[in-house]
Amino acid sequence: MGAIVSELGDFLRAKRAAASVDALPFPASGRRRVPGLRRDEVALLAGVSVDYYTRLEQGRERNPSAQVLDALAHALDLNLHERRYAYGLAQIAWVPELAETDPPVDATLTRLMDGWPGAACFVLDPLLDIVAMNALATALFRPFVSTRNLVEMVFLDPEGRAFYVDWERAAKGCVANLRATSGLYAGTARRRELLDRLTGGSPYFAELWAAHDVEPKTHDQKVLRHPEAGEFAIAFDAFEVSAMPGHQLVVYRAEPASASERALRMLSKDEVASPVGDSALAG
């Protein structure tokens, strides 16, 4: 443990040396022998004693709290990756902020989604709100009244039971995934409001939620039934979005050159003339 805390001290010293004096919200006084901020300035900005901060840098303080690390991150103007790194050095679980409204998805990610041929791509936040979709995902989810939240689509939208051929399996997986991704935000108003809507609107959701199954989804197979394209099989993959902590990029793809892939591509081209039916599964 000592080596870990000493590494945190090394990190804090490096970030203090790199911090800009010009950003101080109070007048800087005295001659500086080294670049960056003084220990007393960082301590003042973070609301801790100079002695406590000195002990942190020297590795003599072994149990910094999340509140202290947050205050130091603000004082040293750490970015998201640096904050996560500092928490890791202190062996504390880092909880990125759950904003009241999701930030815009980075343009690089949307270009990646739009340029992924034959794949329905969408981005989920920790509460499984859908915050971005490419054109194929938009066409795929067209039967739903709302695409605000994936769990609500499964449990509260009448289309949910028809869309997922093995609906019960999809429902159980969705709840276990929500448990895994939203657990760090148990005290937030957004999470409580979502759970109130789900438990109030679906007794089966309430039953599954009470089971406390926890399983993040990274890969799965699903059979979907679309009112225009019929039934087809897809592979589901989820990837962490490092630029948006707590968010996942979800990709639905069909087996190349299969009837399922042809059914999925038909949706993106708006060329659906009649349901493909069960024959799509033969691919």
Side-chain angles (χ1 to χ4, degrees):
M1 181 68 180
I4 293 174
V5 176
S6 295
E7 193 169 350
L8 175 62
D10 292 342
F11 175 75
L12 292 174
R13 280 195 298 275
K15 293 294 112 179
R16 177 166 63 86
S20 172
V21 178
D22 296 335
L24 286 174
F26 47 78
S29 61
R31 186 175 180 179
R32 295 177 184 271
R33 293 177 295 176
V34 294
L37 303 180
R38 298 191 183 100
R39 284 175 176 167
D40 63 309
E41 291 168 337
V42 175
L44 181 60
L45 288 171
V48 298
S49 71
V50 179
D51 177 67
Y52 180 85
Y53 179 73
T54 300
R55 286 187 282 117
L56 268 178
E57 280 200 0
Q58 293 176 346
R60 294 186 291 119
E61 171 54 53
R62 297 175 177 271
N63 297 293
S65 67
Q67 290 78 10
V68 167
L69 288 178
D70 278 342
L72 290 172
H74 179 73
L76 296 170
D77 195 25
L78 303 184
N79 62 36
L80 287 174
H81 303 292
E82 290 168 337
R83 290 181 186 219
R84 174 185 284 180
Y85 180 73
Y87 267 70
L89 293 178
Q91 294 190 329
I92 297 176
W94 179 59
V95 183
E97 182 180 359
L98 182 66
E100 285 301 312
T101 57
D102 278 292
V105 175
D106 185 85
T108 302
L109 180 56
T110 58
R111 285 195 297 270
L112 172 66
M113 294 164 58
D114 292 340
W116 205 322
C121 305
F122 52 99
V123 177
L124 297 172
D125 79 355
L127 301 185
L128 305 192
D129 280 357
I130 299 178
V131 300
M133 292 187 288
N134 69 359
L136 183 50
T138 300
L140 180 65
F141 292 143
R142 192 158 47 214
F144 290 91
V145 173
S146 170
T147 55
R148 175 179 62 180
N149 180 274
L150 188 63
V151 195
E152 291 182 330
M153 291 163 62
V154 173
F155 286 92
L156 303 185
D157 194 305
E159 181 62 25
R161 286 184 177 270
F163 187 79
Y164 298 97
V165 172
D166 190 346
W167 180 83
E168 185 166 346
R169 179 171 176 268
K172 289 179 178 178
C174 193
V175 174
N177 193 23
L178 180 64
R179 272 283 184 195
T181 59
S182 73
L184 294 175
Y185 305 93
T188 61
R190 274 186 61 199
R191 185 176 186 266
R192 288 194 301 270
E193 291 165 2
L194 173 64
L195 293 179
D196 286 346
R197 291 195 300 271
L198 290 165
T199 54
S202 172
Y204 189 51
F205 173 86
E207 177 186 332
L208 293 176
W209 188 251
H212 283 265
D213 290 333
V214 182
E215 183 183 357
K217 285 292 184 183
T218 57
H219 179 77
D220 201 0
Q221 304 285 332
K222 297 178 184 292
V223 178
L224 308 178
R225 181 185 297 116
H226 196 279
E228 298 170 337
E231 288 188 14
F232 51 90
I234 58 96
F236 161 109
D237 292 284
F239 308 93
E240 180 182 356
V241 181
S242 62
M244 300 179 69
H247 290 63
Q248 308 170 66
L249 168 63
V250 179
V251 180
Y252 284 1
R253 292 176 292 173
E255 184 70 22
S258 66
S260 290
E261 184 189 45
R262 291 193 292 273
L264 192 59
R265 284 183 178 275
M266 287 170 68
L267 288 173
S268 65
K269 298 176 181 177
D270 289 324
E271 293 178 353
V272 179
S274 61
V276 174
D278 295 342
S279 61
L281 296 178

